[in-house]
Amino acid sequence: MHKMILPTLLSLALLAPGIAAAQSATPSLPAWDQLTPQQREQLTAPVRERWNNSTPERRQHMLDHAARWEAMTPEERTRARQGHKRWSDMPPERREHARALYQHMRNLPEAERKAMVDRWKAMTPEQRRAWVEANPATNP
């Protein structure tokens, strides 16, 4: 009997994060005002630590990001989450390419941007690598 307790406890420990994630998606969780002080601390501590360890410029960026997020519609937030996931799942080389291409195109007029996208799509992987080497992102 005792031989089964340890594997069972280990299994439960491994499943706990998944269960917690599933529970967090349920509407039965309390509103912020109903959370205990410990629960609130658990939620806010990582942000506080990141804030305290940040430069003034980074803090301003965090505030600006929060304001933009607050102004988004639910659909825009969903698209933003999907874009973040797509970026996180992207291989490092593709991220480097995306950064370089974005920096190059961000201030181009619409017609030139479209032409650059068309050229990019027509390039081979080797041509893209060469283009990125010739046009590196300045602030990865």
Side-chain angles (χ1 to χ4, degrees):
M1 177 143 178
H2 292 291
K3 291 180 183 178
M4 293 185 68
I5 292 175
L6 183 58
T8 302
L9 288 175
L10 287 173
S11 296
L12 289 174
L14 292 173
L15 289 174
I19 293 169
Q23 287 176 342
S24 69
T26 62
S28 63
L29 290 175
W32 181 263
D33 293 339
Q34 296 168 329
L35 292 173
T36 66
Q38 294 82 8
Q39 289 170 319
R40 290 182 192 177
E41 176 62 22
Q42 185 179 13
L43 290 166
T44 59
V47 176
R48 183 183 316 107
E49 184 177 330
R50 192 169 48 222
W51 178 270
N52 287 338
N53 292 333
S54 295
T55 63
E57 295 81 17
R58 182 70 185 138
R59 288 178 181 178
Q60 185 61 54
H61 176 78
M62 291 169 72
L63 284 173
D64 294 343
H65 183 269
R68 282 192 313 273
W69 185 262
E70 194 64 31
M72 287 181 179
T73 66
E75 295 79 20
E76 290 171 328
R77 290 179 184 182
T78 297
R79 282 196 312 273
R81 285 186 194 103
Q82 290 168 343
H84 178 70
K85 176 159 179 30
R86 192 170 51 250
W87 178 262
S88 297
D89 293 345
M90 193 180 290
E93 183 180 37
R94 289 214 35 223
R95 284 188 201 180
E96 182 183 352
H97 291 185
R99 279 188 194 102
L101 190 60
Y102 173 76
Q103 278 191 357
H104 179 76
M105 292 180 16
R106 70 190 285 178
N107 294 320
L108 292 178
E110 182 65 30
E112 290 180 44
R113 245 193 331 258
K114 184 178 179 338
M116 183 63 209
V117 168
D118 292 341
R119 278 198 335 257
W120 183 265
K121 288 178 180 179
M123 289 181 192
T124 66
E126 294 78 25
Q127 290 171 323
R128 289 178 181 177
R129 267 192 288 283
W131 187 91
V132 170
E133 287 175 13
N135 301 278
T138 56
N139 189 9

